Amino acid sequence: MSSKILIIGAGGQIGSELTFKLRTIYGEENVIASDISYNNESIVNSGLFEIVDAQDYASIKICVEKYNIDTIYLMAAMLSATGEKYPMKAWDLNMSSLFNVLNLARAKFIKKVFWPSSIAVFGPTTPVNYTPQYTVMEPSTVYGITKQVGERWCEYYFNKYNVDVRSLRYPGIISWKTLPGGGTTDYAVEIYHEAIKNNQYECFLKADTELPMMFMDDAIKATINIMQAPDDTIKIRSSYNLAAISFTPESIANSIKQRLPDFKITYNPDYRQEIANSWPKNINDSYARQDWKWKHDFNLDEITEEMLTQLSKNYNQ
Ligand code: VAH
């Protein structure tokens, strides 16, 4: 019998694309999208949708029982930049939503959980190059703290209550279908929109700020892969390092200039520079590649080609 899946936070950047992908794999009747609002009309109007408050255990449980859900992808969170503006809201949302879903699994209302962590779990004392799976982790953002603590709780619920929770430390993710919100890596999405609209972009990070990044298609592939992997191949129940490429604002601008020679980038670093400075430049994801055969597909120029092609259509250019 097919899985019955609930995506919490389906209106967001990753949640929306995950919803469409899961619908093609498991069938529309087996995938329920949910969010706190009806804002993402493409999600609301394209399949089963429910209003679910990730911070309200009863709200999630009602939906789980209504559709006989067995798997939850918890994609609702407050990201790094917004989290620094509203630290206690970020803590409350990111932690209460995780506990709600883990406790539903502990109580056997559901069988399986996906929960996204992030390279934001690493901090300024973490080795920045080829950052290993196991290393010093002193995150300096609230978002990073919630992800570090969340990883500890995921591993605890697996060891103590045998909850099948699986997790990935996502890098910055680039996509064109749904705008990201409140992230430090969002510049790598904004730059393509501005290139198409105005042929110029003022970047809020310095030119040489190297960060781990990934195209959305790779992030969705990794998420599906880890959730479909046989139980005995998942050796890490905190969260797996996950990597594809790393680049700087300067290198993404140079990639764009190969298609748009007159594109201009300027730099005006803001508070998000300090956040980016606390994160690794690139990630060692050898455990994911070894345990459940992860491999990425998209390099920077392929991402640029796809982003500019799709956004040109969206802006009717
Ligand atoms: C953020 N996009 O910028 C997220 C991500 C690695 C960064 O977790 O906050």
Side-chain angles (χ1 to χ4, degrees), residues 79-80 118-119 143 170-172 183-185 279:
L79 300 184
S80 60
S118 163
I119 57 117
Y143 173 69
Y170 286 137
T184 300
T185 58
W279 291 347

Side-chain angles (χ1 to χ4, degrees), residues 218-251:
D218 274 334
I220 298 299
K221 181 175 108 172
T223 307
I224 304 289
N225 284 3
I226 193 172
M227 287 296 275
Q228 291 183 340
D231 292 0
D232 61 357
T233 64
I234 309 298
K235 308 279 199 293
I236 294 173
R237 292 288 180 162
S238 50
S239 190
Y240 275 90
N241 275 7
L242 185 74
I245 57 177
S246 286
F247 56 73
T248 64
E250 185 179 26
S251 50

Side-chain angles (χ1 to χ4, degrees), residues 40-281:
N40 190 322
E41 290 179 6
S42 71
I43 287 292
V44 173
N45 300 325
S46 59
L48 294 171
F49 179 85
E50 295 283 348
I51 292 289
V52 167
D53 178 353
Q55 292 184 259
D56 177 352
Y57 182 86
S59 169
I60 305 171
K61 185 167 175 285
I62 287 165
C63 190
V64 164
E65 291 176 327
K66 177 177 177 181
Y67 292 96
N68 196 24
I69 299 292
D70 57 55
T71 303
I72 290 183
Y73 289 75
L74 174 53
M75 306 310 288
M78 189 179 289
L79 300 184
S80 60
T82 308
E84 290 308 295
K85 290 180 180 172
Y86 308 102
M88 292 324 297
K89 281 186 179 175
W91 175 262
D92 290 344
L93 169 58
N94 295 4
M95 298 315 302
S96 62
S97 57
L98 176 59
F99 279 123
N100 287 338
V101 174
L102 289 176
N103 285 326
L104 279 164
R106 179 187 175 187
K108 307 298 181 201
F109 288 106
I110 57 172
K111 295 194 181 101
K112 208 169 189 178
V113 176
F114 177 79
W115 177 74
S117 184
S118 163
I119 57 117
V121 290
F122 301 117
T125 54
T126 303
V128 294
N129 287 308
Y130 210 43
T131 301
Q133 176 73 40
Y134 301 104
T135 185
V136 174
M137 296 164 69
E138 296 176 316
S140 51
T141 64
V142 173
Y143 173 69
I145 292 167
T146 68
K147 292 304 183 183
Q148 183 184 31
V149 169
E151 290 185 5
R152 301 288 97 234
W153 279 110
C154 287
E155 188 178 73
Y156 183 88
Y157 268 69
F158 173 76
N159 290 329
K160 192 89 173 175
Y161 309 121
N162 199 31
V163 167
D164 185 1
V165 51
R166 304 176 186 204
S167 179
L168 298 171
R169 289 173 180 160
Y170 286 137
I173 294 177
I174 301 167
S175 64
W176 54 271
K177 292 194 184 102
T178 303
L179 276 171
T184 300
T185 58
D186 293 357
Y187 89 88
V189 177
E190 291 174 1
I191 192 169
Y192 290 108
H193 288 262
E194 292 306 311
I196 294 291
K197 289 191 293 185
N198 304 312
N199 213 16
Q200 62 182 11
Y201 178 62
E202 182 179 88
C203 184
F204 56 74
L205 297 180
K206 290 192 294 187
D208 63 351
T209 309
E210 184 179 354
L211 288 171
M213 295 281 186
M214 177 178 284
F215 192 48
M216 177 63 79
D217 292 26
D218 274 334
I220 298 299
K221 181 175 108 172
T223 307
I224 304 289
N225 284 3
I226 193 172
M227 287 296 275
Q228 291 183 340
D231 292 0
D232 61 357
T233 64
I234 309 298
K235 308 279 199 293
I236 294 173
R237 292 288 180 162
S238 50
S239 190
Y240 275 90
N241 275 7
L242 185 74
I245 57 177
S246 286
F247 56 73
T248 64
E250 185 179 26
S251 50
I252 194 173
N254 290 336
S255 178
I256 291 170
K257 286 174 190 169
Q258 290 175 31
R259 277 270 306 251
L260 304 171
D262 297 334
F263 173 71
K264 295 277 183 294
I265 186 168
T266 54
Y267 301 96
N268 183 17
D270 66 14
Y271 74 100
R272 289 167 284 193
Q273 185 63 50
E274 187 183 350
I275 297 173
N277 290 344
S278 74
W279 291 347
K281 292 179 185 295

Side-chain angles (χ1 to χ4, degrees), residues 4-5 10 19 23 27-34 43-50 67:
K4 294 289 275 191
I5 296 167
T19 297
R23 284 173 177 163
E28 290 198 3
E29 70 284 2
N30 294 313
V31 177
I32 291 80
S34 76
I43 287 292
V44 173
N45 300 325
S46 59
L48 294 171
F49 179 85
E50 295 283 348
Y67 292 96

